[in-house]
Amino acid sequence: MTREILCCERLSVELGGVRILHDLSFSVREGEFIAIVGPNGGGKTTLLRVILGLQKPSGGSIRVFGAEPGHTVARIGYVPQRLFFDRDFPLSVRDAVLMGRIALKTPFQHYNRQDREAADEALETVGLDALGSRRIGALSGGEFQRALIARALAGNPELLLLDEPTASVDPGMKTTIYDLLDQLKTSMTILLVTHDTGTVSRFVSRVFCLNCSMVHREPPSAASGGAGIEQAYPYPVDLLVHHAAGKADVTNQP
Amino acid sequence: MPEELFAFGFLRNAVLASLLASIACGIIGSYVVVKKIGFISGGIAHTAFGGIGLGYYLGINPLLGIIPFSLGAAIAIGLLSRKARVAEDTAIGAFWAVGMASGVILIGLTPGYAPNLFSYLFGNILTVPESDLWLIALLDLIIGATTWMFSKEFLALSFDEEYAEVSGVRTTLFYLLLLCLIALTVVILVRVVGIVLVIALLTIPASIARVFSRSLGAMMLIASGISALFSLAGLWLSWQLDLASGATIIILAGLAFLLLHTVRLAVSFLRAR
């Protein structure tokens, strides 16, 4: 029996009187690779923010590694959705990745050799070891995204949270990033927010369809006809039927 | 000027003050530029005018009056914008004006004439007494030691605040600490360029340095050097041409800033063709 990493019970979030998440219950076990899909405004990013402790729930409960969110930060790696950042920031790629170690340090400590080695290792994992001394602003979109993943990996997390890591990269880089996640899933639990409903089903163990409440949480089977995804998205979607074996068939919904 | 340097104690003090002020200016100016908090710094500096009024009113060194005012402004602006859902520029605007107004009232309540008031507004580096040099050195030490101790927190806060928070860094606390260090830098720079001109010395040297730096540490070193260069060149020029020293320093810095960015624009324009 694998450990429970994340557990939500009847979780609700309201922001300024607007209901963002409603009555959400699910749990994630160690080693799972879960894709969270759903329309914009469906609460995907809010769910990540709740898990990270950046957003307080207005109802229900959430436990991350058995504790309140925000108390187990050193065990979580976070890859934010960053479309805009300061390209003129005087910072090398290696130093940016080194920041992924900050959760493991107390305020008066400086980064040491062990931290630098972990950062170099993370750069190697994402294939950026040759660009470590380059200025962060000189990276391409896909390279920058991989640098953010390296930053999250530098702290050797047990749970990796990614917010649309492929939103602004070309198809080739998308494949590179998914291959990377496919390789990482053997050593950590992964929660991926994405719009790539097609591509991800080859890699993931479960798909959560989120539109305020959890519309569907198991892989849509041929029998159900993918009713869940249709409920999550208020418009026709390319539906992938996800088999347990990991193969996917494309069904084009009218 | 070298022989005059030894002949006149006030000139030696002016040179020392320029060099000491450049240290804080380079370190804190770099954070101001990368975190884009130039106008908070301007707000803190102008609020400090209330402290100068307090200094006159109590009959103490106005620099000592600035310290509680600028620190108070730093914490109040920071807390209002972070915790009380007041827009940051609104908080800055309110403190900016209220600080200056309380300065005017306190100076008005002080019997007699307020000597050297102009020098606190626009700086007069030629009148720095030795006691102020020690104060500036002490503040430099506090600023340098604090940024060294918390360099990784300040870097994380500047580059990606949300990530820092997610990683367990107490971002509001460190943000307030950074604003307090800006407040102390303001105290130092008031001697050199005055309250009104502080904002230029906090932003221009660091923004020039950023073009040539690959790390925040390098940016701080280069910014300190550039700041020292502007201060000493401005001091020399104002001495030679009998101009106001603070304003001369700022005009020099502004010209260098304009020149650099014009050249950069021209280069990128020519490359694009």
Side-chain angles (χ1 to χ4, degrees):
Chain A
M1 184 89 174
T2 50
R3 270 189 312 155
E4 193 173 67
I5 299 278
L6 177 66
C7 178
C8 290
E9 262 168 53
R10 311 211 62 173
L11 179 75
S12 294
V13 176
E14 282 183 16
L15 280 173
V18 179
R19 183 189 276 176
I20 308 290
L21 292 174
H22 177 62
D23 211 14
L24 207 60
S25 298
F26 66 92
S27 77
V28 175
R29 310 203 77 86
E30 190 175 12
E32 283 197 286
F33 184 170
I34 286 163
I36 303 170
V37 303
N40 287 328
K44 305 186 296 297
T45 298
T46 303
L47 178 59
L48 286 194
R49 289 176 62 82
V50 172
I51 296 169
L52 289 163
L54 290 172
Q55 174 69 50
K56 291 258 171 291
S58 49
S61 77
I62 175 165
R63 311 293 279 177
V64 187
F65 294 105
E68 289 284 312
H71 290 272
T72 49
V73 289
R75 301 167 77 172
I76 300 177
Y78 172 47
V79 183
Q81 180 181 19
R82 276 299 284 278
L83 303 175
F84 306 102
F85 73 103
D86 185 1
R87 287 202 165 262
D88 286 328
F89 203 102
L91 186 72
S92 70
V93 175
R94 181 175 289 112
D95 285 347
V97 171
L98 200 52
M99 277 186 228
R101 301 287 292 178
I102 202 166
L104 305 171
K105 317 291 279 185
T106 59
F108 291 94
Q109 290 177 314
H110 284 94
Y111 297 119
N112 57 26
R113 212 185 65 182
Q114 202 187 342
D115 297 316
R116 280 172 227 293
E117 281 170 2
D120 284 338
E121 209 176 297
L123 277 170
E124 212 171 302
T125 307
V126 302
L128 286 183
D129 34 336
L131 303 181
S133 48
R134 191 170 285 190
R135 205 167 146 146
I136 189 87
L139 296 185
S140 71
E143 287 165 347
F144 182 68
Q145 198 61 56
R146 280 190 287 159
L148 291 184
I149 296 175
R151 180 176 68 171
L153 294 178
N156 299 322
E158 296 164 60
L159 172 65
L160 187 62
L161 305 178
L162 304 102
D163 196 354
E164 295 192 33
T166 56
S168 55
V169 302
D170 62 58
M173 188 57 77
K174 237 176 218 186
T175 312
T176 312
I177 289 176
Y178 282 128
D179 286 344
L180 174 63
L181 294 179
D182 196 34
Q183 168 202 333
L184 290 172
K185 76 180 180 191
T186 56
S187 50
M188 61 193 71
T189 310
I190 300 177
L191 231 68
L192 167 72
V193 166
T194 183
H195 281 299
D196 297 340
T197 42
T199 328
V200 292
S201 62
R202 263 186 293 140
F203 303 98
V204 300
S205 43
R206 282 196 290 168
V207 179
F208 290 176
C209 306
L210 203 59
N211 188 4
C212 191
S213 53
M214 188 80 80
V215 178
H216 202 79
R217 86 170 81 137
E218 292 304 323
S221 67
S224 75
I229 279 236
E230 266 180 81
Q231 274 174 282
Y233 284 92
Y235 41 80
V237 290
D238 284 338
L239 185 71
L240 279 114
V241 179
H242 182 97
H243 295 301
K247 274 190 180 171
D249 307 321
V250 179
T251 321
N252 210 339
Q253 293 289 303
Chain B
M1 196 159 79
E3 63 279 6
E4 291 155 336
L5 201 60
F6 300 102
F8 302 112
F10 68 88
L11 209 50
R12 187 203 60 188
N13 283 3
V15 169
L16 282 175
S18 300
L19 294 175
L20 286 172
S22 296
I23 297 173
C25 181
I27 296 174
I28 298 304
S30 295
Y31 286 122
V32 168
V33 167
V34 297
K35 185 92 182 115
K36 301 187 175 73
I37 46 178
F39 265 83
I40 296 196
S41 315
I44 294 171
H46 283 78
T47 310
F49 188 67
I52 289 171
L54 186 70
Y56 277 115
Y57 185 72
L58 297 178
I60 57 169
N61 183 350
L63 279 198
L64 294 177
I66 294 180
I67 294 176
F69 259 81
S70 61
L71 284 178
I75 292 171
I77 294 174
L79 280 181
L80 273 181
S81 59
R82 289 289 165 117
K83 298 286 180 197
R85 297 182 61 167
V86 174
E88 198 162 74
D89 62 339
T90 309
I92 293 168
F95 272 84
W96 186 306
V98 168
M100 300 225 57
S102 38
V104 169
I105 286 181
L106 283 166
I107 289 169
L109 287 176
T110 309
Y113 162 76
N116 298 326
L117 182 59
F118 203 70
S119 78
Y120 289 105
L121 285 173
F122 299 101
N124 188 353
I125 202 169
L126 293 171
T127 60
V128 181
E130 201 171 309
S131 58
D132 279 3
L133 284 182
W134 286 106
L135 178 65
I136 294 175
L138 176 70
L139 294 177
D140 264 341
L141 199 67
I142 294 172
I143 290 165
T146 312
T147 46
W148 182 78
M149 267 190 298
F150 301 121
S151 56
K152 69 179 193 309
E153 281 77 15
F154 285 141
L155 177 65
L157 182 75
S158 308
F159 180 64
D160 188 345
E161 182 161 347
E162 188 195 65
Y163 187 84
E165 195 178 340
V166 163
S167 304
V169 175
R170 298 179 66 185
T171 48
T172 303
L173 186 73
F174 281 105
Y175 182 64
L176 291 177
L177 184 59
L178 184 59
L179 293 184
C180 287
L181 294 181
I182 292 173
L184 295 183
T185 309
V186 164
V187 177
I188 294 176
L189 293 181
V190 162
R191 262 302 176 199
V192 184
V193 290
I195 277 175
V196 178
L197 306 180
V198 158
I199 193 169
L201 219 46
L202 270 178
T203 51
I204 293 176
S207 98
I208 293 173
R210 181 167 66 168
V211 176
F212 306 104
S213 321
R214 297 175 77 89
S215 74
L216 197 56
M219 181 172 166
M220 289 171 179
L221 270 178
I222 297 172
S224 291
I226 292 173
S227 166
L229 192 73
F230 288 151
S231 304
L232 293 179
L235 179 63
W236 177 79
L237 208 63
S238 68
W239 175 259
Q240 293 296 320
L241 303 175
D242 196 23
L243 300 171
S245 58
T248 310
I249 291 168
I250 298 303
I251 296 288
L252 266 184
L255 285 177
F257 180 74
L258 263 177
L259 185 71
L260 174 76
H261 288 289
T262 311
V263 168
R264 284 186 85 202
L265 254 177
V267 167
S268 65
F269 177 73
L270 288 176
R271 275 199 191 145
R273 274 169 53 114

